[in-house]
Amino acid sequence: MKSTETETQHDDFARGNSDLDRFRPAPTSKRLDDKAATLEAELSGLKQSFARERYIYLFVMSVLFVTTLGPNMSGTMLLFLIAAVLIFLIAMGKYLDFPWVVIPLERWHDLLFNAAERRLNRQVIEIEPENKDDR
């Protein structure tokens, strides 16, 4: 004879737990996420401050380099040295992600480049002589 009694479910099913519930990821801990975000922000701040510090060291060393070699050089060589140092500082500023220093240095570079270009391409404007026969 068949039993008409309902079969009892397993204790796990009675509690609402199934095999699929075991594979669901646990909810993320907000405290852990907040700590990770805080540490990441601190790390990026430290990286920026170290990059700024390195750039300041490079800037001071290049200024000292130019001031020690400058008096011993001719004017054109000194101009080339200053232009080379400016290009180096612009490149290092871009590499170290230091935009508020790069922009003024690029302006100085453009000023030097334009001045050198004007000096090299200086053309004497001649006034045409008047032709006496045209009168």
Side-chain angles (χ1 to χ4, degrees):
M1 273 194 148
K2 288 186 176 180
S3 170
T4 57
E5 294 180 29
T6 58
E7 295 180 12
T8 59
Q9 293 181 351
H10 195 270
D11 288 339
D12 288 341
F13 292 120
R15 290 186 210 138
N17 293 333
S18 67
D19 290 336
L20 293 177
D21 288 337
R22 292 181 191 159
F23 292 108
R24 288 186 189 153
T28 58
S29 172
K30 289 187 178 183
R31 295 174 75 197
L32 184 62
D33 291 342
D34 292 340
K35 286 180 184 179
T38 303
L39 289 174
E40 187 175 345
E42 287 178 10
L43 180 64
S44 66
L46 285 173
K47 284 182 180 180
Q48 286 178 350
S49 66
F50 288 144
R52 289 180 183 150
E53 185 178 351
R54 286 184 196 127
Y55 187 81
I56 290 170
Y57 289 146
L58 287 172
F59 184 80
V60 169
M61 286 190 306
S62 56
V63 167
L64 290 174
F65 180 72
V66 170
T67 55
T68 56
L69 290 181
N72 300 329
M73 300 179 102
S74 67
T76 56
M77 289 301 292
L78 180 62
L79 185 63
F80 285 126
L81 179 67
I82 290 173
V85 167
L86 280 175
I87 291 170
F88 171 73
L89 289 175
I90 290 169
M92 291 309 295
K94 285 183 179 181
Y95 175 73
L96 293 173
D97 195 25
F98 212 28
W100 61 271
V101 171
V102 171
I103 293 170
L105 286 177
E106 283 180 343
R107 286 185 195 147
W108 279 100
H109 175 263
D110 292 341
L111 284 173
L112 280 174
F113 182 76
N114 290 337
E117 187 177 56
R118 276 184 271 145
R119 184 174 178 115
L120 292 174
N121 293 333
R122 188 183 322 174
Q123 295 176 356
V124 179
I125 300 173
E126 296 181 10
I127 300 174
E128 293 182 21
E130 292 182 24
N131 226 347
K132 294 181 182 175
D133 297 334
D134 290 340
R135 290 188 197 175

